[in-house]
Amino acid sequence: MEYRKIKDEDNDGGTVSNDIENLRGIGFSGVASVSNVPPREQAKWKRKTVVTVALTFLTSSQAILIVWSKRAGKYEYSVTTANFLVETLKCALSLAALARIWKSEGVTEDNRLSTTLDEVIVYPIPALLYLVKNLLQYYIFAYVDAPGYQILKNLNIISTGVLYRIILKKKLSDIQWAAFILLCAGCTTAQLNSRSDHVLQTSLPGWIMAIVMALLSGFAGVYTEAIIKKRPSRNINVQNFWLYIFGMTFNAIAILIQDFDAVMNKGFFHGYSIITTLMILNHALSGIAVSMVMKYADNIVKVYSTSVAMLLTAVVSVLLFGFNLTLAFFLGATVVSVSVYLHSAGKLQR
Amino acid sequence: MEYRKIKDEDNDGGTVSNDIENLRGIGFSGVASVSNVPPREQAKWKRKTVVTVALTFLTSSQAILIVWSKRAGKYEYSVTTANFLVETLKCALSLAALARIWKSEGVTEDNRLSTTLDEVIVYPIPALLYLVKNLLQYYIFAYVDAPGYQILKNLNIISTGVLYRIILKKKLSDIQWAAFILLCAGCTTAQLNSRSDHVLQTSLPGWIMAIVMALLSGFAGVYTEAIIKKRPSRNINVQNFWLYIFGMTFNAIAILIQDFDAVMNKGFFHGYSIITTLMILNHALSGIAVSMVMKYADNIVKVYSTSVAMLLTAVVSVLLFGFNLTLAFFLGATVVSVSVYLHSAGKLQR
């Protein structure tokens, strides 16, 4: 694979080692030692921190909007049309950002919208992987209930780590692997409830599907990073534009397959409310934040960011909706916090 | 404190760094790299491993005997008389071991039973601390129920680590501290059940008592290690003999206070069964194993050993009594396993 060659030449794992400063910035100390770092590295570090913090807060508020919309009543709108609008909005935002850049910097080799087949041929792959995963999602509920699926989704963490290692050929230290296992265990612990033990009774086909879905999701994430990082100097907004064009296409197909009749009879925007609009806006912004994290950080940072967001969501839900925090949540949050620390400390060993 | 001076001179943390080989021997790889170690170190390492493995299995079988005796019916015997017999048996076993040593090696300065006031004056302190802790135990149940108390007992792990650092002045690396927090979180997670959340409603006096009890228990353990290690060449059986003499004394006092009437009316051995006898034998042997771990390893190894024993107990209980393992148990066991690994990996950093 061409990508691997590039990575092997210019990457000695530095990206992984530097990632955690972002997370430290968000989650814990808040005091990162950037004083001895040259200005260019410092700018890079700042950009990483900004996109990671943005992703964390957008993911967290996304979950809160979902809780809010559930409490306000059932989903009345069609999910496929909302997904299509999210992709369209992301596309529009990328174009708007590009327009500003063209105005200030002019059109260059790196920020021109036109592309080659060689560049664009891989862009549909992540969108296709997500489509297959979303289709499987309908079938897995024959084997696992919704809370059980929430628990099994934590397998994504492990699959992302493994595929990140295999596909991107980036190394994690032993301590960082230990931290990654802890992240998975900690997130699962934080989500435990009285009915979680049901998940242990999941049948073999259920387990296989859960593992396949985790691999698909992990592969889509890691592959997106590979695509974006393959051309480091290419403007991220152009890369996003092409990713989202295929996202729009596949979501249009999903509307045709699943919701064609409903859209024809009730209209495209049937059931949309203010919350729906906010959710679409939030999904679009967090989608862009994910791409930015892939460009300037990596999938490991993404996983940590969304895990911390999960904990933040729970804490905010207590304040907003009067939820109770469980002992399992405190224990899981402790384990996740130690995991974040260890991911940082793990790099010292190299 | 005189002890500190000795430790500061002859200890650079080597004991902590080497400890984990024992645990690795028990818990995980089973393959420890002893090939490059000189024979004397290897003998030391073997002795550590033997006492640690012994402690783990004795603690585990102790818990299983308790479950067995509970299923067989209520405790009919008086706990104070059983405790007294445990101390007496430990005393007798120490004397028997000493008799063998005197026969083979003769009586020396290090293995003679007679002692000085300077040596013996500190020996009642651990026994006294345990007595205070056991008295408090009656009062804490006004604030916390029994399963809640099981959960709160995991504070012992943290208190032992902190007091070990403060009193024995031995350093743990940052990774080892992280591992210790994980050990506490993992053990608690493994014990979670549907009623565990009650513990979060514990009132302030309940928390204070739980913390005081954890400190008393941690202090007793660390202080015992300080006493035993203060005279490294002194025979452990002599040290044990004097520790247990005071244990007998304090337990005799406890019989007089709590069970004098019952013992007078029903007899000393009322309600004793085969299980009771096995439990007394087991407690005596694990008490001696604890002393040996204090002599040849330390409190950190003891805490890891008893935590691994807790997990072993759960697994064996599944086989023996048909208990079900919960998802929380698997998650807790994963976190404890990673903690054991990290305690080992943490020493590389120094």
Side-chain angles (χ1 to χ4, degrees), chain A residues 151 174-175 178 181-182 185 188-189 192 194 196-197 199-200 325-328 330-331 334-335 338 341-342 345 348-349, chain B residues 151 174-175 178 181-182 185 188-189 192 196-197 199-200 325-328 330-331 334-335 338 341-342 345 348-349:
Chain A
I151 295 278
D174 289 348
I175 300 270
I181 295 169
L182 290 173
T188 314
T189 303
L192 282 180
S194 53
S196 303
D197 281 344
V199 85
L200 293 177
L325 291 182
T326 61
L327 179 58
F330 286 114
L331 294 169
T334 304
V335 172
V338 173
Y341 164 74
L342 286 171
L348 299 172
Q349 276 210 316
Chain B
I151 296 278
D174 289 346
I175 300 270
I181 294 168
L182 289 173
T188 314
T189 303
L192 282 180
S196 304
D197 281 344
V199 84
L200 293 176
L325 291 181
T326 61
L327 179 58
F330 285 113
L331 293 169
T334 304
V335 173
V338 173
Y341 164 74
L342 286 171
L348 299 173
Q349 277 210 315

